[in-house]
Amino acid sequence: MISLLLAAEIAKLGAALGGGLAAIGAGIGIGKIGGQAMDAMARQPEKMGDLRSSMIIAAALVEGVAFFAVIIALLALFV
């Protein structure tokens, strides 16, 4: 009985840590994408349109991975 309660508490802790790390990782990733894109736009302003579309695609992929990690954390919590 005690081991089942302990396992449930560890699952909650793991889900909270996993979701938090996914959000932090996504924030860092999108921040690096934005910073590097601004540097590139400052160096070559004529490529601004291409850089903007590439930046949006990369940010969407980072967000997709973060959402996937949060879903996995929620599955670990409830399954």
Side-chain angles (χ1 to χ4, degrees):
M1 183 68 174
I2 294 174
S3 63
L4 290 177
L5 292 175
L6 183 61
E9 296 301 320
I10 291 174
K12 289 179 183 178
L13 178 66
L17 288 175
L21 287 175
I24 290 170
I28 291 171
I30 291 176
K32 288 184 76 81
I33 290 169
Q36 294 295 322
M38 291 298 123
D39 287 343
M41 285 180 198
R43 291 175 191 256
Q44 293 181 338
E46 66 273 4
K47 297 285 186 180
M48 195 175 295
D50 294 337
L51 289 170
R52 187 177 296 129
S53 62
S54 296
M55 183 179 65
I56 290 172
I57 290 170
L61 290 173
V62 170
E63 284 293 324
V65 170
F67 289 143
F68 182 71
V70 169
I71 295 299
I72 295 299
L74 288 174
L75 285 174
L77 180 63
F78 293 116
V79 174

